[in-house]
Amino acid sequence: MAKADNEVRINQAPPPDREILRMEKKKALKESLTGYAIISPWLLGFFVLVLGPILASFYLSFTDYDLLSSPTWIGFDNYVQILTNDPRFKTSIIATLVFVFVSTPLKLLFALALAVLFNTGRKGTGFFTTIYYIPSIIGGSVAIAVVWRQLFGRNGAVNDILDSLGIAGLNWIGNPDTALSVLIILVIWQFGSPMIIFLAGLRQIPTELYEAASVDGAGRIQTFLKITLPMLTPVIFFNLIMQTIGGFMLFTQAYLITQGGPMDSTLFYALYLYEMAFEYLRMGYASAMAWILLVLIAIITIIIFKTSSRWVFYESEGGR
Amino acid sequence: MKKKNGTLSDIIYYIFVIGFGFVMIYPILWMIGSSLKPETEIFGNAASLIPGEWLWGNYAQGWEGFGGIGFDVYFRNSMIVTTLVVIGTVCSASIVAYGFARINFKFKAILFGCLMATVMLPVQITLIPQYILFHNVGWVNTFYPLIVPAFLGGQPFFIFLLIQFIRGIPRELDEAAIIDGCSKFGVFLRIILPLLKPALVTVIIFAFMWTWDDFLAPLIYLNSASLHTVTIGLRNFMDADAGTNWGPLLAMSSLSLFPQFVLFAFFQKYLVQGIATTGIK
Amino acid sequence: MKMNKLKAVVMMFLLVGLVTIMVACGGNEDSNANVNNGADNSADPETNEANNGDSGENNSAAGDEEDVTIRVAWWGGQERHDMTIQAIELFEAEYPNITVEPEYTSWDGYWERLSTQAAGNNLPDIINMDNSKLMEYSSRDLLVDLQPLIDDGHINMDDVEDVYQDINVAEDGTVMGISLGANALGIAENKDLLAEHDINLEPGYTYDDMIDAMHKIQDNTDEEFFGFDFGNSEFEMFFVYARQHGQSVFNPEGDGLGFEEGTLVEFFDMVQTMVNEEAAASHDIMMDYIDGGNSMLGEGKAAMNMTASNQIIGIQQSSDMEIGLNVMPSIEGGEDGNWIRPSMSFSISSHSEQHEASAKFIDFFTNNLEVNEILQADRGVPVSSVVREHLAGIVDGATAETFAYLELVEDYTSPADPLSPAGESEVRGSFQRVVETLKYDQATPEEATQQFMQEAQAILQ
């Protein structure tokens, strides 16, 4: 059946024949049904578990809701308040944007560089990959706070090193000018996650391509630029999108280490939102903040998606 | 590809990788070292990685847990939840990703948009409505709210990841299989899945990591101490009011890294093999 | 290869089956999961009775004979959890028909879980409440009035003096909770350090005396010394400060502030000057110690520390030096600002259907001597005079110091303010942010006062 359909499409140039149109339609319908069947686990999960809560949060963003009693409808008040009369909203947006735009490129750069380095097939790579990945494991653990304070605190290792160089150290986490940088370093330090996605991507590049290149006498750099990089673009694209979104959502590390301080210098958006929702019990306000964030991230994501047709190369789609 | 006369570059490579590796792992070594120190030495003698006196008491005290329920229970609970979530995620995310990457169905763009949108909404916001939903089904204080979603597509992150990898697989392979009489599902099982191995390994590693480290959902859904996971157990050492037991906390934190470490050490070979031995067969 | 594919298919079917089973049996599976996974305290088959509190329908008329389950939630650290669970075991032995399901976490996460449970109509039967949250929950009708249960004898309050209970009683006579222990704000002092520098601050000493003492030590020591430790409790300190001026932080109606602008400017000025002149630890050093779980006072890097009395038990445990308690500094010609805080109450939630069993539980914790021996006054000095006297003979060290302190402070006490209004946590947040800008020298006391008062009024309206 499938075979016949294929032949119809391939061999006959499309004469505007009713019969064929009907068959095409039927085939599209069949393919649609197959598609729905295949993604049905997600469809079920989305409609049963996810969509309801999302719509609920959208509704709540137009209410005054303290979790402890029923929500009351207040229209656009939350949105108006956030956008026109909340200085901490601005503070948190700025902190978040700085964080995202500094940490994401650097993290990806480290991840890509190390992944490529580890892909040269030298001895002991597995061991080193594990070492470099370990920082990611500790990511959400409560211990990260004490460990990080030990590094960047007043009597921490960083200051010890600076001392030995004759430079006076400072309390990196407790200083409003440096606290944000400390968190940025922390997140870059955890570049292991995108790194292993890059490694998986490198694994997937067909070896024939490299063999062909070496037959052509291409050098290392040329091979990297002509083969590795283009073939890796779908994964780079993925990492870029997800790390950007993840950056906007960053919560745990900041919550555990700085709680937004000192002086709101690390008040990331998700942290502020959480504070509103669970500490001050203003869930309606927090929901509105979430939807504003959604719009902001969506815009940035769409921009990245739009540019992707220029630089992301899909083997299955025969190029750009 | 690899040049044989590269001894110098090898030396530079190893010096760099070892030096930088030490910087990477220093905080972890500090944590493990400190978990073996008595409480007064943890911060008093912070600079030293090696304890002045080796003390296993923190492990014994930490392992006991709280009120008769110890870390054996927490580890078992975390293991149950995490294993099931990993299995669910791998199975459901891979098939769903295949559907999105390879099959044309109506409203695909819209549905993909929905998929992405769910990543962009902070979890903290949908938590309460979801709690109410699960409470009405009677699932609060069970593992189901943590596990079942994984079987229904799991995190969109994984679906999107696998979509990207599937799009990197040449379509000719599918078509060849279809000509051989494979169904769409057959293509998935026989062509896509085997080629997706490296990506699936990353899914396993991440799904494990995120579930193992998750705090908020277990906190809210698991009320009984006998259902607590490791993350909740760890957090119970910290209390602003009663003071934090750093020794046991660091000891149990070090221990809680162990399963992930083993998992990664086992799976990394699928990610870092010599170039010549892998790729499309 | 073929083998693998076969395996994959089989696995897939297995999993689909598994999900189906889970979905199908979800409704009544939850209690079974409990039995499977929680061998420890679910050995009693009756646990499935009221696991979620929502199947309590059939035992709502619970007599003495009928088996009931109550859920009890509290926060704390490792020792408190252990002690409380031990106490619960004692309770269960005394009342074999009542099973207690403990739900404990650390302070971090406790309120998140509780508010989620409130939203889901799934609060535990008994909740450990904090003074600062009592109004929040009570004003939403989430707490049961305990007066009827006291009246019909389920909770015996005969031995509890009013000063330990007043704060838990609303204006209309509703009893919102019963305190698990009382404490009072105070100054923890490093006695060794003060003695070494020949400083003796008798109750009645002033803020200036205190600041002078800090300078005196600062001038005479070569070691690292930070002076006074605010302990991140500037807001509490201002409660006392305002009371000493005959004012209060919140107005009695709870819809605005109850102090004059000048009072706060003065207070802020004092805080800022102390930090700038190094009579008090800077903000980053203070937070460094707090987040690190260390005590500046215990290490001898600070001489005095703003704290709640029961917290010196923890400080003393980690210090070789002798730690004592002193009353808050006073203002010349000012009023008494201290007050006894019956903190950490047990309340019964309105989602509970087991009022009587819950009441028995609270009564047990309030009056039973053996239980209080186990609990070691860790949550504060017991509110029942009988229990207090009994324990006073047993406890030693820092715990004994807290007992003595509560007697001492009584002479420097004025009646407690009414409970803080529902927006307190947000007002506190605003206060702490403003104090931070002060301590980092980014605002003048006047600017800080302006900003705080504006924000607070907007929140309380």
Side-chain angles (χ1 to χ4, degrees):
Chain A
M1 181 65 201
K3 194 173 170 184
D5 278 356
N6 256 336
E7 251 139 48
V8 167
R9 205 177 59 183
I10 293 163
N11 296 338
Q12 286 171 345
D17 186 346
R18 281 192 139 197
E19 181 66 11
I20 288 177
L21 263 179
R22 212 173 57 81
M23 275 183 68
E24 283 281 320
K25 249 189 182 165
K26 203 177 153 196
K27 185 177 159 280
L29 181 70
K30 195 186 157 237
E31 178 146 359
S32 271
L33 288 178
T34 319
Y36 291 136
I38 282 184
I39 64 164
S40 60
W42 176 75
L43 281 177
L44 188 67
F46 180 73
F47 284 106
V48 176
L49 299 179
V50 180
L51 189 62
I54 286 182
L55 293 177
S57 83
F58 189 60
Y59 162 74
L60 290 175
S61 73
F62 296 100
T63 65
D64 186 8
Y65 180 42
D66 62 12
L67 293 177
L68 307 180
S69 47
S70 311
T72 45
W73 181 267
I74 54 166
F76 281 92
D77 284 9
N78 288 328
Y79 289 92
V80 172
Q81 172 81 12
I82 293 169
L83 294 172
T84 62
N85 194 19
D86 186 351
R88 297 186 79 208
F89 166 75
K90 271 185 221 143
T91 313
S92 68
I93 284 275
I94 293 169
T96 310
L97 288 176
V98 170
F99 171 78
V100 169
F101 285 114
V102 176
S103 70
T104 308
L106 284 173
K107 188 176 182 183
L108 289 182
L109 217 60
F110 271 103
L112 183 60
L114 268 299
V116 170
L117 199 62
F118 285 141
N119 204 40
T120 47
R122 286 184 169 88
K123 273 211 173 84
T125 324
F127 173 73
F128 288 118
T129 321
T130 310
I131 297 284
Y132 281 64
Y133 175 70
I134 285 178
S136 306
I137 301 180
I138 197 186
S141 163
V142 284
I144 190 79
V146 55
V147 168
W148 217 242
R149 191 163 302 109
Q150 149 56 21
L151 270 179
F152 289 97
R154 238 164 23 90
N155 301 318
V158 170
N159 280 350
D160 282 353
I161 294 170
L162 289 179
D163 263 357
S164 66
L165 299 174
I167 304 167
L170 56 116
N171 187 353
W172 301 92
I173 296 174
N175 187 321
D177 298 326
T178 53
L180 184 59
S181 329
V182 171
L183 284 178
I184 289 177
I185 294 173
L186 166 64
V187 167
I188 296 174
W189 176 62
Q190 298 174 328
F191 65 76
S193 307
M195 179 185 80
I196 68 167
I197 299 181
F198 280 135
L199 279 171
L202 289 167
R203 281 278 62 70
Q204 232 193 5
I205 300 174
T207 26
E208 298 92 84
L209 291 177
Y210 288 116
E211 282 154 17
S214 77
V215 168
D216 291 349
R220 243 186 226 202
I221 294 169
Q222 253 190 322
T223 316
F224 177 74
L225 290 177
K226 291 273 162 62
I227 297 174
T228 312
L229 213 51
M231 292 299 287
L232 208 55
T233 48
V235 178
I236 296 176
F237 173 67
F238 170 83
N239 268 337
L240 180 62
I241 297 245
M242 293 323 281
Q243 291 298 331
T244 307
I245 296 179
F248 277 102
M249 300 282 177
L250 185 93
F251 172 74
T252 313
Q253 285 91 336
Y255 176 73
L256 289 174
I257 296 173
T258 62
Q259 291 99 40
M263 288 199 354
D264 282 351
S265 58
T266 57
L267 185 74
F268 294 133
Y269 200 88
L271 205 61
Y272 183 37
L273 185 149
Y274 181 84
E275 191 180 311
M276 275 292 165
F278 286 99
E279 273 169 44
Y280 304 156
L281 301 183
R282 289 172 62 179
M283 190 47 99
Y285 196 83
S287 300
M289 284 182 64
W291 280 87
I292 292 173
L293 178 67
L294 178 107
V295 171
L296 181 72
I297 297 180
I299 291 171
I300 291 175
T301 312
I302 288 170
I303 291 173
I304 302 177
F305 261 93
K306 290 278 179 211
T307 64
S308 72
S309 60
R310 293 165 187 272
W311 60 274
V312 180
F313 174 90
Y314 291 110
E315 176 72 14
S316 63
E317 271 120 73
R320 339 204 134 186
Chain B
M1 255 278 290
K2 205 182 126 195
K3 286 174 185 157
K4 277 287 159 214
N5 57 353
T7 24
L8 184 68
S9 85
D10 274 357
I11 290 169
I12 296 171
Y13 168 88
Y14 282 112
I15 288 175
F16 171 77
V17 164
I18 291 171
F20 192 44
F22 181 74
V23 174
M24 289 292 287
I25 205 176
Y26 171 84
I28 314 289
L29 294 179
W30 181 84
M31 180 173 98
I32 296 170
S34 298
S35 72
L36 294 163
K37 295 176 184 173
E39 193 114 354
T40 48
E41 211 192 308
I42 293 179
F43 298 98
N45 182 17
S48 148
L49 283 182
I50 297 153
E53 72 179 280
W54 292 70
L55 184 90
W56 294 96
N58 288 330
Y59 283 83
Q61 194 195 340
W63 187 258
E64 267 173 34
F66 313 91
I69 296 176
F71 270 78
D72 50 334
V73 176
Y74 302 151
F75 270 97
R76 191 190 59 203
N77 291 336
S78 279
M79 232 33 212
I80 293 172
V81 171
T82 309
T83 312
L84 287 172
V85 165
V86 168
I87 294 172
T89 306
V90 167
C91 296
S92 66
S94 57
I95 180 94
V96 172
Y98 169 67
F100 272 109
R102 282 294 206 256
I103 297 169
N104 290 313
F105 47 86
K106 265 196 164 177
F107 310 119
K108 185 158 118 177
I110 295 174
L111 286 173
F112 183 72
C114 289
L115 178 83
M116 291 304 292
T118 53
V119 205
M120 300 175 197
L121 215 55
V123 280
Q124 292 92 345
I125 290 306
T126 44
L127 203 65
I128 301 284
Q130 214 154 41
Y131 179 88
I132 295 172
L133 185 85
F134 282 124
H135 175 54
N136 287 335
V137 194
W139 281 4
V140 168
N141 213 16
T142 72
F143 291 147
Y144 300 127
L146 309 179
I147 295 168
V148 171
F151 284 87
L152 300 176
Q155 304 246 21
F157 177 91
F158 298 122
I159 301 179
F160 184 34
L161 173 75
L162 292 170
I163 290 176
Q164 288 305 96
F165 274 87
I166 294 174
R167 289 175 81 175
I169 299 172
R171 242 178 222 270
E172 299 91 68
L173 296 172
D174 301 29
E175 277 153 18
I178 287 177
I179 289 166
D180 289 350
C182 255
S183 67
K184 294 269 183 200
F185 191 67
V187 172
F188 170 67
L189 281 184
R190 291 175 51 188
I191 309 293
I192 304 292
L193 267 190
L195 288 178
L196 220 48
K197 215 191 262 166
L200 289 176
V201 165
T202 60
V203 170
I204 291 173
I205 291 169
F206 283 164
F208 196 99
M209 173 169 82
W210 288 347
T211 316
W212 191 268
D213 284 346
D214 191 15
F215 172 68
L216 211 51
L219 170 80
I220 279 168
Y221 289 117
L222 307 175
N223 299 332
S224 303
S226 53
L227 297 180
H228 282 181
T229 58
V230 172
T231 39
I232 300 188
L234 291 178
R235 205 64 82 95
N236 279 351
F237 285 117
M238 302 180 82
D239 188 73
D241 214 47
T244 299
N245 297 358
W246 289 109
L249 170 64
L250 290 175
M252 289 304 108
S253 297
S254 306
L255 219 52
S256 87
L257 297 184
F258 192 66
Q260 294 197 67
F261 177 79
V262 170
L263 183 91
F264 188 81
F266 175 75
F267 276 113
Q268 49 81 15
K269 65 171 177 275
Y270 295 100
L271 298 171
V272 286
Q273 276 167 353
I275 277 187
T277 59
T278 48
I280 288 180
K281 37 167 189 205
Chain C
M1 202 65 215
K2 219 165 208 157
M3 196 51 198
N4 277 345
K5 260 174 259 162
L6 191 68
K7 254 196 219 159
V9 177
V10 171
M11 267 303 258
M12 203 78 132
F13 276 112
L14 263 177
L15 289 169
V16 172
L18 193 67
V19 175
T20 322
I21 291 166
M22 278 179 181
V23 174
C25 315
N28 44 22
E29 269 273 300
D30 54 351
S31 42
N32 290 354
N34 227 337
V35 173
N36 292 340
N37 302 313
D40 313 67
N41 55 357
S42 309
D44 181 353
E46 304 304 329
T47 319
N48 358 358
E49 278 285 352
N51 197 11
N52 275 328
D54 50 14
S55 52
E57 203 67 13
N58 43 359
N59 23 352
S60 52
D64 279 338
E65 309 303 300
E66 231 168 319
D67 289 336
V68 295
T69 299
I70 52 172
R71 293 159 59 209
V72 181
W74 73 86
W75 73 85
Q78 194 172 18
E79 275 170 52
R80 185 181 296 164
H81 292 325
D82 288 348
M83 293 190 291
T84 311
I85 286 168
Q86 223 185 321
I88 286 174
E89 279 161 11
L90 204 64
F91 174 78
E92 285 177 324
E94 183 94 12
Y95 296 93
N97 65 316
I98 304 178
T99 306
V100 179
E101 279 263 321
E103 297 183 3
Y104 51 86
T105 57
S106 55
W107 171 266
D108 238 9
Y110 180 79
W111 298 103
E112 283 85 340
R113 178 197 271 176
L114 214 55
S115 45
T116 310
Q117 288 174 331
N121 266 319
N122 189 28
L123 281 173
D125 297 88
I126 298 175
I127 39 188
N128 193 178
M129 288 303 287
D130 183 72
N131 276 175
S132 62
K133 308 274 183 179
L134 207 47
M135 219 46 203
E136 218 157 60
Y137 278 72
S138 172
S139 64
R140 271 80 168 206
D141 289 328
L142 289 168
L143 305 180
V144 169
D145 180 10
L146 301 180
Q147 191 60 48
L149 292 161
I150 296 172
D151 291 341
D152 60 22
H154 284 99
I155 304 175
N156 177 3
M157 296 292 280
D158 295 348
D159 300 324
V160 180
E161 297 101 321
D162 286 347
V163 65
Y164 291 108
Q165 184 54 19
D166 274 350
I167 205 166
N168 291 326
V169 183
E171 250 171 59
D172 60 0
T174 310
V175 178
M176 297 176 281
I178 287 165
S179 175
L180 281 161
N183 61 45
L185 293 177
I187 301 289
E189 45 184 32
N190 188 320
K191 284 188 173 171
D192 291 352
L193 200 61
L194 291 180
E196 189 187 319
H197 292 271
D198 210 15
I199 294 167
N200 191 14
L201 294 170
E202 289 293 331
Y205 70 102
T206 64
Y207 288 94
D208 287 337
D209 295 339
M210 176 178 85
I211 295 169
D212 290 343
M214 296 303 111
H215 284 307
K216 185 174 172 190
I217 302 178
Q218 188 77 276
D219 295 342
N220 289 317
T221 187
D222 300 326
E223 299 188 17
E224 198 174 35
F225 178 72
F226 302 118
F228 182 77
D229 180 5
F230 283 108
N232 210 19
S233 303
E234 295 87 353
F235 191 53
E236 277 75 14
M237 198 163 171
F238 181 62
F239 263 81
V240 176
Y241 196 81
R243 289 161 56 85
Q244 290 169 335
H245 284 82
Q247 300 163 15
S248 60
V249 173
F250 298 102
N251 67 13
E253 297 78 33
D255 59 359
L257 298 170
F259 58 87
E260 287 160 23
E261 203 178 319
T263 314
L264 185 57
V265 174
E266 244 175 67
F267 178 75
F268 277 169
D269 186 48
M270 180 178 80
V271 171
Q272 194 171 40
T273 314
M274 280 174 78
V275 172
N276 285 349
E277 294 181 354
E278 295 181 351
S282 66
H283 191 75
D284 62 321
I285 289 173
M286 179 189 88
M287 290 314 288
D288 210 36
Y289 273 93
I290 292 178
D291 289 338
N294 297 348
S295 164
M296 222 185 285
L297 188 78
E299 288 181 11
K301 301 280 172 69
M304 298 170 107
N305 178 8
M306 168 83 209
T307 186
S309 56
N310 60 331
Q311 285 179 336
I312 74 154
I313 300 173
I315 301 176
Q316 183 69 77
Q317 267 168 6
S318 61
S319 176
D320 309 330
M321 303 182 170
E322 202 193 341
I323 309 295
L325 277 164
N326 203 342
V327 297
M328 297 285 297
S330 43
I331 289 172
E332 230 156 302
E335 300 176 23
D336 284 327
N338 292 279
W339 79 102
I340 289 178
R341 304 195 308 171
S343 57
M344 294 210 226
S345 324
F346 265 155
S347 299
I348 301 181
S349 85
S350 57
H351 299 162
S352 167
E353 307 196 7
Q354 307 296 348
H355 293 183
E356 287 184 17
S358 305
K360 282 177 191 156
F361 185 83
I362 295 178
D363 179 69
F364 198 69
F365 269 63
T366 310
N367 293 312
N368 187 292
L369 296 181
E370 213 180 324
V371 151
N372 279 286
E373 275 178 36
I374 295 173
L375 294 173
Q376 285 289 320
D378 160 72
R379 288 185 174 87
V381 175
V383 295
S384 150
S385 57
V386 176
V387 174
R388 206 160 51 238
E389 277 155 30
H390 176 75
L391 275 192
I394 300 172
V395 294
D396 53 9
T399 314
E401 181 85 19
T402 63
F403 277 66
Y405 178 67
L406 276 208
E407 274 177 27
L408 167 73
V409 82
E410 232 169 310
D411 299 335
Y412 300 88
T413 300
S414 55
D417 293 335
L419 278 173
S420 299
E424 200 228 49
S425 20
E426 207 173 343
V427 174
R428 174 191 300 268
S430 164
F431 193 90
Q432 282 171 339
R433 278 197 308 281
V434 165
V435 166
E436 262 184 62
T437 57
L438 269 177
K439 288 163 84 182
Y440 281 109
D441 219 2
Q442 302 288 315
T444 66
E446 288 78 15
E447 289 165 355
T449 304
Q450 283 291 327
Q451 196 193 336
F452 168 69
M453 291 183 76
Q454 258 171 25
E455 287 184 10
Q457 268 149 1
I459 294 162
L460 292 170
Q461 258 162 26

